Amino acid sequence: MDIHSDSYKIAALSDQEDVVEVIRQAESEIARMTGNPEVTLIAYEKTDRAGNGSN
C-alpha cells in the first residue's frame, strides 16, 4: 500500500508502548468481529501543512 498526503504523516509511536498496545487490541477485536485476520490499523498525525490551524 502506498499512501501519500501533505496533510498527514504516519504517527511515530515506537516509544509509546501503551498506545501501540491499544492499537493491537483494536486490531484483534476488529479481526474477531469481521472474521478477517489480516486487519492493520495505521495511526496518522497532522503535519504542519494541514493548513487550518485547529487541532
Side-chain angles (χ1 to χ4, degrees), residues 9-22:
K9 65 181 180 178
I10 294 176
L13 301 174
S14 60
D15 61 339
Q16 298 180 38
E17 188 58 35
D18 55 337
V19 175
V20 174
E21 183 57 29
V22 168

Side-chain angles (χ1 to χ4, degrees), residues 21-35:
E21 183 57 29
V22 168
I23 293 170
R24 285 186 186 127
Q25 290 172 6
E27 288 173 337
S28 178
E29 186 63 15
I30 291 168
R32 184 192 66 76
M33 293 172 72
T34 63

